[in-house]
Amino acid sequence: MLILAIESSCDDTAAAVLEADRRVLSNVVSSQFEVHAQFGGIVPELASRCHIEAIW
């Protein structure tokens, strides 16, 4: 059995595919660092939009 895990933190979105025995087959992280750097901090509305784009 394969497991798809999706995680979103404040400014990162990640996805992983695992085997049932917890072996990681793939792991990808999308950072929003450059998007928020120009504002000097994380903008929640912008972060939520970026999460949607990363998951699509």
Side-chain angles (χ1 to χ4, degrees):
M1 173 173 59
L2 296 178
I3 300 166
L4 172 62
I6 300 173
E7 186 272 338
S8 63
S9 65
C10 192
D11 62 344
D12 291 327
T13 306
V17 178
L18 302 94
E19 288 276 6
D21 63 358
R22 296 186 177 178
R23 188 168 38 119
V24 177
L25 302 177
S26 179
N27 183 32
V28 179
V29 177
S30 174
S31 175
Q32 300 175 14
F33 177 80
E34 292 180 16
V35 173
H36 297 287
Q38 60 186 324
F39 300 105
I42 296 168
V43 180
E45 179 61 29
L46 186 55
S48 66
R49 292 178 188 184
C50 289
H51 286 307
I52 292 169
E53 290 177 17
I55 292 172
W56 265 140

